[in-house]
Every structure is written in C-alpha cells, then in structure tokens.
C-alpha cells in the first residue's frame, strides 16, 4: 500500500480527461494536477522546449510527494517520457504507449492517428504502434484547430462539425478501422467525431487506457491507496486559475473549487 499521490501534468486544461479517467478507475487515489497554462500550447513547440517544460513540471510535482508521474499531455509524452524516466526514480508514464496498445488490440489493417502538430511530427504513435504490430498501416494527421475549439467551448457547434469533417473525411476515405484520439482535448469532441466518421470506426481514447495502465502498475507493486474517497485532490496552474476553473468544467462536467498558482522555481531535489 502506498498513500502518496498520483502526479499528473499537462500543458493546461486538457489533461483533465486523464485526471477524470484516473479518478473513475481509482476513486481512493489522491491526484495532484499541474496545468502549465502559462506556456500552453505545447502542440506547436519544439522538442527541446517541450522536454525542458516537462522536466520543470515533473520537478514541481515531486515537491508534492507523488508516487508516480503521469504525463497527460500527448505532445509532452511524444518527446519527454525518456528524459523524465532517466532523471527521476519514480515511475513515469506517458499516454502514447497505453493508447497505442489499445489501438493495436482493435485494428486488423489500418489505423488513423490524430494529434497536435508536435505529436504527429514526432512520429511517436506510429513508432510504438509499429513496434507492437509491424504490418499495420498508419495514417497520421495533425488537427491543430481542435484544441482552440474545445478551449472555446465550441463542442456541439456547426463550425466545429465543419472543421472535423475537413480534417477527418480523408481518413474516413482511407477506410481506417480505428482512430486514435492522440490529444488531451479530442475526447471532448468524441460525439461529433463519431457523428462525422460513423459507427464503423472505433475511437481510441488514451485517457482511459492510461488510467488502466496506472492501476496495473499500482496493483503489481502493491501501491494502491487504501484511504477514503474524501482526500481532496489538488490543482495547480502556472497562470490564470479562474480560466482553468471555467474551462475545466467542460472537461469534468463539475466544478473545481480551488486552483492554486504553481511556483515552478521550487525544485524537487
Ligand atoms: N495537451 C496537448 C496535447 O495533448 C494539447 C494542448 C497543447 O497543444 O498544449 O498534445
């Protein structure tokens, strides 16, 4: 048993999809969440910058006595998992590996992957999917407009439907069987994406598979918490807590009471 917290970071608000999945799977675990809202978006930044930001985020979470670091951000998971695993001596898990595994399980021939420009340019999903199943054909596409649409709260909106069509029709024409939603924000658009793609294409949401992976890691290490459900999770951002609260409700469909500013100059060592 290990009653330390789960540390989760994202470039901002989108990682709340991973937070939600973790809490659904393990309600007894306490989560400390950091959204790097001052430096968002990561999806249009370089590998070096994303790694630097990710290291700083992890160092902050380590000051909160966490037992694992979950990188909820796909852009950050694409580039920074190894750097963090090398530097810190607690488990570090990104969303790409669990998402890829789920995709491989439900695809015979062709899988589509969508994400931010950074995630798609990294080729991280394609690499891991091919390691697991070398004959699968992978069609990747960056969809940079999806994040701002979600942040704006334009979920069931004609403009959103039009943009989803524009990005995803070509993948549909390619007859993909599965589509990996390789970005924190995309699960929020699931219903509209389903409407555009039809029922024959399976959507893979890496948030859920990541939560399952964390559960299995804890189970195998005997690290599941045995506290009651009332331990309060903690939310930190690097800028603009009010906005995080407001947009966060779109993700969680409930209120977030307290969001504090994180001081990233606090080092974990
Ligand atoms: N969290 C990012 C991701 O999953 C999306 C937002 C951003 O670009 O920072 O890739």
């Amino acid at each position: 048993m290990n009653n330390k917290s789960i540390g989760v970071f994202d470039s901002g608000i989108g990682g709340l999809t991973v937070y939600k999945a973790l809490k659904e799977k393990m309600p007894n675990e306490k989560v400390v969440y950091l959204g790097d809202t001052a430096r968002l978006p990561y999806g249009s930044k370089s590998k070096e910058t994303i790694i630097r930001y990710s290291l700083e985020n992890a160092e902050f979470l380590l000051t909160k006595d966490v037992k694992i670091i979950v990188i909820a951000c796909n852009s950050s998971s694409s580039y920074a998992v190894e750097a963090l695993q090398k530097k810190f001596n607690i488990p570090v898990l990104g969303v790409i590996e669990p998402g890829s595994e789920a995709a491989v399980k439900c695809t015979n021939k062709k899988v589509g992957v969508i994400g931010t420009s950074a995630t798609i340019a990294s080729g991280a999903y394609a690499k891991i999917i091919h390691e697991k199943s070398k004959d699968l054909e992978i069609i990747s596409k960056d969809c940079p407009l999806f994040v701002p649409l979600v942040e704006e709260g334009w979920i069931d909106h004609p403009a959103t439907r039009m943009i989803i069509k524009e990005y995803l029709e070509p993948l549909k024409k390619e007859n993909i069987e599965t589509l990996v939603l390789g970005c924190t924000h995309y699960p929020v658009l699931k219903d509209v994406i389903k409407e555009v793609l039809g029922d024959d294409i399976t959507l893979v949401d890496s948030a859920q598979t990541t939560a399952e992976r964390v559960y299995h890691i804890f189970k195998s290490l005997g690290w599941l918490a045995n506290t009651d459900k009332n331990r309060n999770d903690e939310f930190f951002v690097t800028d603009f807590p009010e906005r995080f609260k407001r947009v966060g409700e779109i993700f969680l469909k409930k209120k977030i009471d307290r969001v504090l500013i994180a001081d990233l100059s606090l080092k974990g060592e």
Side-chain angles (χ1 to χ4, degrees):
M1 185 256 300
N2 183 335
N3 285 336
K4 290 183 176 183
S5 307
I6 300 177
V8 178
F9 78 81
D10 178 44
S11 54
I13 288 161
L16 288 175
T17 49
V18 175
Y19 164 81
K20 194 168 166 220
L22 285 166
K23 292 301 285 191
E24 275 164 12
K25 183 82 195 161
M26 294 167 285
N28 291 342
E29 299 288 337
K30 174 177 169 174
V31 177
V32 180
Y33 183 98
L34 170 65
D36 190 10
T37 46
R39 303 187 289 193
L40 168 131
Y42 283 15
S44 54
K45 300 218 162 54
S46 69
K47 176 181 175 179
E48 293 69 28
T49 301
I50 292 174
I51 292 177
R52 179 161 55 85
Y53 289 175
S54 303
L55 286 166
E56 288 169 6
N57 295 338
E59 272 169 358
F60 173 80
L61 287 174
L62 283 170
T63 67
K64 302 288 162 198
D65 205 23
V66 296
K67 58 184 166 186
I68 189 170
I69 289 177
V70 179
I71 309 179
C73 176
N74 286 256
S75 307
S76 184
S77 300
S78 297
Y79 288 120
V81 174
E82 261 179 40
L84 268 63
Q85 283 173 341
K86 260 193 205 143
K87 179 146 190 188
F88 305 112
N89 54 12
I90 57 169
V92 175
L93 180 71
V95 288
I96 310 282
E97 215 274 325
S100 301
E101 189 175 302
V104 167
K105 274 192 192 143
C106 53
T107 315
N108 293 314
K109 283 195 181 119
K110 249 189 208 182
V111 52
V113 177
I114 54 174
T116 64
S117 300
T119 297
I120 298 305
S122 77
Y125 272 108
K127 181 171 171 272
I128 295 183
I129 290 172
H130 269 155
E131 276 168 17
K132 293 181 185 295
S133 179
K134 65 177 173 31
D135 295 329
L136 284 188
E137 194 178 331
I138 304 165
I139 319 248
S140 305
K141 172 112 193 73
D142 60 338
C143 305
L145 291 177
F146 286 1
V147 168
L149 287 169
V150 172
E151 298 262 334
E152 201 54 40
W154 287 15
I155 313 302
D156 192 12
H157 189 288
T160 307
R161 198 161 280 115
M162 205 174 83
I163 290 167
I164 289 179
K165 265 200 180 133
E166 185 72 29
Y167 281 137
L168 300 188
E169 284 286 1
L171 278 87
K172 191 177 172 185
K173 285 205 183 106
E174 288 277 356
N175 292 320
I176 52 165
E177 305 149 71
T178 312
L179 181 68
V180 180
L181 305 177
C183 174
T184 46
H185 288 57
Y186 300 177
V188 178
L189 298 172
K190 225 177 195 172
D191 290 345
V192 197
I193 292 177
K194 247 202 161 345
E195 215 181 285
V196 171
L197 292 181
D199 289 333
D200 294 342
I201 298 175
T202 309
L203 301 184
V204 171
D205 170 352
S206 49
Q208 275 164 22
T209 50
T210 301
E212 264 151 43
R213 183 64 67 83
V214 173
Y215 174 79
H216 288 297
I217 293 173
F218 287 176
K219 207 150 186 242
S220 67
L221 295 171
W223 278 11
L224 283 163
N226 73 345
T227 49
D228 68 44
K229 294 182 187 163
N230 297 322
R231 289 206 300 169
N232 284 334
D233 298 327
E234 292 180 64
F235 296 93
F236 293 91
V237 290
T238 46
D239 199 11
F240 225 162
E242 287 312 317
R243 183 167 195 279
F244 184 90
K245 278 189 193 165
R246 183 163 46 79
V247 184
E249 279 182 49
I250 298 175
F251 285 86
L252 296 184
K253 298 194 178 90
K254 66 170 196 184
K255 274 205 166 0
I256 305 171
D257 295 326
R258 209 163 92 109
V259 181
L260 301 174
I261 289 277
D263 181 356
L264 292 195
S265 64
L266 289 174
K267 299 287 183 208
E269 320 163 35

